[in-house]
Amino acid sequence: AQSVTQPDIHITVSEGASLELRCNYSYGATPYLFWYVQSPGQGLQLLLKYFSGDTLVQGIKGFEAEFKRSQSSFNLRKPSVHWSDAAEYFCAVGLSGQNFVFGPGTRLSVLP
Amino acid sequence: GAVVSQHPSWVICKSGTSVKIECRSLDFQATTMFWYRQFPKQSLMLMATSNEGSKATYEQGVEKDKFLINHASLTLSTLTVTSAHPEDSSFYICSAPDRPAGEQYFGPGTRLTVT
């Protein structure tokens, strides 16, 4: 069965600290991989995506993610977190034309 | 990039009434659209797949007679929540895939509150 896990339900970091959010997936084939951010009461905003090629992808707002096929992982990183990064983060996977499977989400809190 | 819109962005209705939510692909054609539901503090779960010109397919546990889906054209899918109850209160999000590119575009969501 297809599934996405995000082991950390809630992470708290200090402003300026580095961040890594974990994502692991189980899928029949290597899917396309995505990270989205959602602020309270808002829709999804795409941070970055991986289809193929370079396994380190850059996204918006200073985020990057690394695809590791051997670990079925697609972890999201940011070297220095800003208070405005506080939100819910979702990892999602899917194939072309098919629905996405979303992880349970990780809530990020940022301490001043 | 491509844009998917949803209307309305939020709606409040009374228990027992029906509500229609529209999902439109604004600058591309979508033979398939997906409807997701997100309960508070939870993730997005696929409800159904909307197919232009054919019946929608529903995920296990989703009542097809309660959540009516009509894919009327290549740019419009509608979700009608019939005889809504408070437990149907949720955030409903649609998406449409851009098949050649593998990208998928999400609407901004519709927040439904049933009183």
Side-chain angles (χ1 to χ4, degrees):
Chain A
Q2 303 159 357
S3 66
V4 179
T5 57
Q6 292 179 246
D8 305 303
I9 296 174
H10 183 204
I11 285 182
T12 300
V13 300
S14 297
E15 190 169 20
S18 63
L19 171 71
E20 181 170 28
L21 303 182
R22 296 180 290 166
C23 172
N24 292 91
Y25 65 90
S26 175
Y27 214 86
T30 300
Y32 299 149
L33 304 161
F34 305 82
W35 274 99
Y36 289 87
V37 61
Q38 185 180 39
S39 297
Q42 302 298 311
L44 300 174
Q45 181 179 24
L46 178 65
L47 289 176
L48 46 75
K49 58 191 176 186
Y50 173 78
F51 287 173
S52 64
D54 192 346
T55 57
L56 184 63
V57 295
Q58 302 296 320
I60 63 171
K61 302 184 177 185
F63 286 94
E64 66 177 26
E66 185 173 13
F67 168 57
K68 292 185 177 180
R69 184 187 303 273
S70 61
Q71 299 177 18
S72 296
S73 69
F74 189 55
N75 294 348
L76 181 71
R77 300 194 293 251
K78 186 170 185 177
S80 178
V81 171
H82 188 263
W83 63 266
S84 61
D85 293 325
E88 190 84 20
Y89 290 80
F90 293 99
C91 179
V93 305
L95 294 176
S96 178
Q98 297 184 12
N99 64 280
F100 281 11
V101 176
F102 284 84
T106 297
R107 182 161 62 94
L108 174 65
S109 298
V110 180
L111 299 176
Chain B
V3 176
V4 172
S5 69
Q6 280 185 244
H7 178 80
S9 55
W10 60 271
V11 58
I12 301 173
C13 70
K14 292 187 177 180
S15 186
T17 62
S18 295
V19 173
K20 180 184 286 188
I21 302 170
E22 293 185 348
C23 176
R24 292 182 185 272
S25 56
L26 298 186
D27 48 6
F28 68 104
Q29 294 181 335
T31 56
T32 300
M33 291 184 177
F34 301 104
W35 287 95
Y36 299 83
R37 180 168 55 185
Q38 184 182 32
F39 290 111
K41 299 190 183 301
Q42 294 188 27
S43 186
L44 283 79
M45 296 296 292
L46 180 69
M47 294 177 62
T49 301
S50 173
N51 302 296
E52 192 270 336
S54 64
K55 291 183 178 181
T57 56
Y58 293 82
E59 296 301 297
Q60 190 172 10
V62 177
E63 300 174 57
K64 63 180 182 180
D65 294 330
K66 182 174 184 60
F67 298 97
L68 302 180
I69 290 174
N70 181 25
H71 202 132
S73 72
L74 288 173
T75 60
L76 174 64
S77 174
T78 60
L79 168 67
T80 301
V81 183
T82 62
S83 186
H85 288 98
E87 56 265 31
D88 298 323
S89 298
S90 188
F91 195 50
Y92 293 86
I93 301 176
C94 69
S95 73
D98 175 8
R99 289 182 181 274
E103 184 64 84
Q104 189 149 159
Y105 300 99
F106 285 84
T110 296
R111 184 160 304 282
L112 170 63
T113 301
V114 184
T115 62

